Amino acid sequence: MRKYVLLFTALLGLQLAVVPSLSAKALEPVKGRVGLGYTESSGNTDESKMNFTLNLTQKRSEQLKFGYDALAIYGKSDGQKNADKKQLRFSSEFIKNDKFSWYANLGYMEDEFAGYEEQYKLGLGMINYFIKGEETVFSCSLGLDFTKEEYTDHTSDDETWLRVGLDGKRKVADNIRFAGHFGFLAPKDDTDECYRTETAVGLIFTINEKIDAEMKYIIDYNKAPVDNKEKYDRTFITSISYKI
């Protein structure tokens, strides 16, 4: 519990640091989705599990937007735990103009079955928007990730990663939206032997003003995983979300 308190204290401190006066302008309400559903995975786990998702944003001013994301996957088989993954992420986007932004984010992860006791992450970089509209968004990001990782085999590692990302969203029908992400991470040393990729594609179906249904397929690849762990983790998530 202590690590969660420390993490959220850091997030609150970052908010206060980048917003000189919260009373200068009324904050816009938090918007987003809270979801609950089932997960099918292969790789380091091969079971059906329960998932919880949280995706929220808040525009603090015309130049500043915050994002809050969480994912929890938990499963049991024959009375034994077979999945226990938790992810938390706080992001801030400093908007320069319609085409360009700076970003900073903090993240925390536990994934026992992929070999991660704990992972802390700080990300800094820039975002270039090729398309930024109401129905279509397409952007490229470039930055650095600083990670501190503790593994279940009692080893640890600190690393600096170069991150390149592509993100897209598009309204494909009145009640259907597409979202996709691809990220490539390479360390400063041993790029050919130690890179990572993350890919996610999904569809969001609008049911009514307050309820969405989502299907998402995620592939995480680690060229140099923790000893005795799989390089690929594939996850298919289905969930029903309540819109805030």
Side-chain angles (χ1 to χ4, degrees):
M1 179 62 68
R2 182 172 176 269
K3 54 180 172 284
Y4 295 110
V5 173
L6 292 174
L7 177 62
F8 282 109
T9 300
L11 300 183
L12 178 61
L14 180 59
Q15 289 191 24
L16 296 177
V18 298
V19 184
S21 175
L22 296 179
S23 61
K25 181 180 178 180
L27 303 179
E28 291 190 10
V30 174
K31 299 178 181 179
R33 304 160 63 245
V34 179
L36 188 66
Y38 284 94
T39 301
E40 291 282 346
S41 65
S42 61
N44 287 295
T45 59
D46 295 278
E47 298 288 345
S48 298
K49 312 162 192 69
M50 199 171 213
N51 71 67
F52 167 80
T53 58
L54 175 73
N55 305 101
L56 303 175
T57 61
Q58 184 180 33
K59 195 169 184 180
R60 307 297 293 256
S61 71
E62 292 301 319
Q63 288 77 42
L64 180 61
K65 183 170 68 175
F66 286 153
Y68 312 87
D69 300 281
L71 170 67
I73 299 175
Y74 182 81
K76 275 188 173 183
S77 179
D78 297 326
Q80 299 294 319
K81 182 172 65 173
N82 58 26
D84 189 5
K85 181 176 183 178
K86 305 179 187 73
Q87 283 183 305
L88 300 170
R89 188 174 74 99
F90 165 77
S91 61
S92 54
E93 182 179 351
F94 306 89
I95 303 167
K96 182 71 174 177
N97 52 50
D98 286 343
K99 296 293 185 182
F100 183 82
S101 294
W102 297 101
Y103 74 82
N105 58 57
L106 290 170
Y108 175 81
M109 181 184 74
E110 294 179 7
D111 192 352
E112 173 187 348
F113 290 86
Y116 290 92
E117 188 75 33
E118 296 179 329
Q119 181 198 71
Y120 296 90
K121 182 186 296 184
L122 168 66
L124 302 169
M126 61 182 183
I127 305 171
N128 185 70
Y129 288 92
F130 300 103
I131 304 172
K132 193 176 186 181
E134 291 292 329
E135 296 188 354
T136 304
V137 178
F138 180 61
S139 65
C140 175
S141 59
L142 178 65
L144 294 174
D145 280 4
F146 305 93
T147 60
K148 178 178 178 57
E149 298 176 339
E150 301 285 343
Y151 306 122
T152 53
D153 62 0
H154 306 296
T155 61
S156 63
D157 188 32
D158 298 337
E159 189 59 84
T160 300
W161 303 80
L162 173 66
R163 168 183 285 274
V164 179
L166 294 173
D167 290 272
K169 298 179 181 178
R170 182 173 176 82
K171 184 177 180 180
V172 296
D174 287 342
N175 64 332
I176 303 175
R177 290 168 289 153
F178 167 84
H181 166 76
F182 175 77
F184 176 83
L185 294 89
K188 59 184 179 181
D189 302 314
D190 298 326
T191 302
D192 294 338
E193 298 298 327
C194 198
Y195 66 86
R196 300 176 182 180
T197 64
E198 49 193 34
T199 306
V201 292
L203 292 173
I204 301 170
F205 303 88
T206 300
I207 297 175
N208 57 41
E209 290 184 355
K210 285 297 183 181
I211 303 296
D212 279 344
E214 181 178 15
M215 296 188 303
K216 181 186 290 186
Y217 187 58
I218 303 170
I219 304 174
D220 292 321
Y221 176 77
N222 188 343
K223 176 73 172 179
V226 181
D227 287 347
N228 301 316
K229 301 298 181 181
E230 298 289 336
K231 293 182 178 181
Y232 280 99
D233 266 324
R234 301 173 178 88
T235 307
F236 180 68
I237 293 176
T238 60
S239 60
I240 298 295
S241 300
Y242 178 79
K243 292 183 282 188
I244 299 174

